[in-house]
Amino acid sequence: MYAIRTAPALPVPAPEVVRRRPGRDAFFDNAKYLAIVLVAMGHAWEPLPGSGRIVEAVYTLVYAVHMPVFIMIAGYFSRTFDGSTAKVQRLLGGVLVPYVVFEVAYTLFQRQLRQPDFPLSLADPYWILWFLPALFLWRLSVPVWRAVRWPLPLALLVAAVASVAGGIGDDLDLGRVLQYLPYFVLGLCLRPEHIARVRDRRVRIAAVPVVAMALLVAYWAVPRMNTSWFFHRYNAQDLGMAAWTGPVMTFALFAAALVLGVCFLAWTPGRRMWFTTLGAGTLYGYLLHGFVIRGASYLGWYDHEFLATPAGRVAVSLAAAAVVTLLCTRPVRTVLRPVVEPSLDRLVRRAR
């Protein structure tokens, strides 16, 4: 396998496309569900044995778009964050508390199955949990991005500096927080009319050759580049590259994610689908699917010879999609709501 395995490892459309329901938008719920499926599949592929260049090209294509789209959607829904008591309460209950709970849970899980002395550190997020402190910091910064004149260019500059800066440290995975920042700010900058343009039928048609060309580029790039760039976790020096490659890759990956993100949103259904209601539970799917993937890896399920075959990889992909779908369902959300979306009414002062 290539480097993608070695790294350790979530808008109002056009009225004629989206059929609205009070309180929720089918388009965004569909987009969130499809994005979390891609995230889960990408994580499920990491422990797979060597798979060859074609499959690696598909992996690379998915890694180029799945987290950027997920983060962009989070940014879009953070546009109204204004630091009010109600918004801070939701931020604490919906992001900070789940982070603490699941950091403890994953630490105990790791100690039970793999490392009895695995340390508990809230400053060092466990694998997939980096997204929660990142979202916390990004959302707190919303007033800043709303105040500056050119938020997206400034965010790209911050990410470019982070791609070459040493000494940032691993606390809260800050390097990755900064390198993914432009995707969150992009979501903040989007408006309903932007999404309406993406949903145009001509864009959906044009997305077909664009994705085909992107797959060919990924096929060409797999043996020629370190795909750990797609994790946005390392600076250029960490990857053994010259410093100037950091900013270049920052802008190149952002451009690629932007184009592929448009294709993803263009193909996202605007009407209610069988999976639309699952879009409300993507945080549950994100937080829980790691137990299944890491558990399967630690128990040796990935060592089965069948998984080295094309059919085995398809099976892993379908299994990941099925698992994360199950984890987004209403029964799971009902049971785990007290820890994923706790009420902090008694702890937070009411606004006067």
Side-chain angles (χ1 to χ4, degrees), residues 4 82 111 113 119 136 148 151 204 226 244 299 336:
I4 198 168
D82 55 8
R111 289 177 179 178
L113 289 185
F136 186 83
V148 299
R204 291 199 295 271
N226 188 336
W244 64 265
L299 295 173
L336 294 180

Side-chain angles (χ1 to χ4, degrees), residues 3-346:
I4 198 168
R5 295 289 174 270
T6 62
L10 252 213
V12 180
E16 66 275 15
V17 176
V18 177
R19 290 163 175 74
R20 298 176 179 276
R21 293 187 70 195
R24 297 202 68 89
D25 190 303
F27 172 77
F28 288 116
D29 280 338
N30 292 339
K32 289 182 351 184
Y33 168 75
L34 295 174
I36 197 60
V37 167
L38 288 181
V39 170
M41 289 172 62
H43 289 156
W45 291 337
E46 289 182 17
L48 285 171
S51 58
R53 188 170 173 181
I54 293 178
V55 176
E56 285 289 346
V58 176
Y59 294 165
T60 300
L61 192 66
V62 171
Y63 267 86
V65 69
H66 69 346
M67 282 308 297
V69 165
F70 200 62
I71 294 168
M72 183 275 295
I73 294 173
Y76 187 90
F77 283 100
S78 299
R79 293 180 307 152
T80 59
F81 184 84
D82 55 8
S84 65
T85 299
K87 296 297 175 78
V88 170
Q89 180 176 347
R90 291 189 62 184
L91 182 62
L92 293 174
V95 178
L96 189 60
V97 171
Y99 172 61
V100 174
V101 169
F102 279 87
E103 187 67 36
V104 173
Y106 272 108
T107 298
L108 298 177
F109 173 77
Q110 187 81 9
R111 289 177 179 178
Q112 183 68 27
L113 289 185
R114 196 75 167 187
Q115 299 171 264
D117 57 348
F118 190 80
L120 171 63
S121 173
L122 296 179
D124 185 15
Y126 179 88
W127 188 32
I128 61 174
L129 296 184
W130 70 269
F131 178 73
L132 291 183
L135 181 59
F136 186 83
L137 295 174
W138 291 332
R139 195 162 285 173
L140 286 178
S141 72
V142 167
V144 174
W145 302 112
R146 293 175 63 183
V148 299
R149 190 180 296 273
W150 299 292
L152 187 54
L154 181 58
L156 281 166
L157 178 61
V158 170
V161 171
S163 71
V164 297
I168 292 179
D170 294 329
D171 289 349
L172 299 181
D173 225 344
L174 189 56
R176 179 147 53 179
V177 173
L178 297 177
Q179 290 191 51
Y180 269 124
L181 175 63
Y183 304 100
F184 181 81
V185 175
L186 172 62
L188 292 176
C189 295
L190 290 178
R191 295 294 180 266
E193 54 270 25
H194 300 141
I195 303 302
R197 294 187 188 125
V198 169
R199 297 293 302 151
D200 188 273
R201 182 173 179 271
R202 291 169 296 182
V203 178
R204 291 199 295 271
I205 295 173
V208 176
V210 169
V211 172
M213 181 60 68
L215 186 58
L216 290 176
V217 172
Y219 181 83
W220 172 86
V222 162
R224 292 176 171 84
M225 68 175 290
N226 188 336
T227 47
S228 291
W229 282 110
F230 291 99
F231 294 112
H232 296 271
R233 182 177 186 179
Y234 309 101
N235 61 36
Q237 296 89 325
D238 291 336
L239 299 179
M241 306 294 291
W244 64 265
T245 61
V248 170
M249 290 302 297
T250 296
F251 289 104
L253 292 177
F254 182 81
L258 182 61
V259 172
L260 293 173
V262 167
C263 296
F264 175 89
L265 294 177
W267 287 346
T268 298
R271 65 185 185 278
R272 287 190 59 79
M273 308 289 288
W274 64 266
F275 53 78
T276 299
T277 57
L278 301 175
T282 51
L283 181 59
Y284 293 78
Y286 187 88
L287 292 173
L288 295 169
H289 80 277
F291 290 110
V292 179
I293 294 172
R294 281 291 167 92
S297 178
Y298 295 160
L299 295 173
W301 295 359
Y302 275 91
D303 298 332
H304 199 285
E305 294 181 359
F306 172 67
L307 298 187
T309 66
R313 303 184 191 293
V314 172
V316 168
S317 302
L318 294 177
V323 166
V324 79
T325 296
L326 177 64
L327 297 176
C328 292
T329 57
R330 187 178 298 276
V332 174
R333 284 149 45 194
T334 299
V335 172
L336 294 180
R337 183 168 287 114
V339 295
V340 178
E341 299 177 272
S343 173
L344 302 182
D345 290 341
R346 296 183 179 180

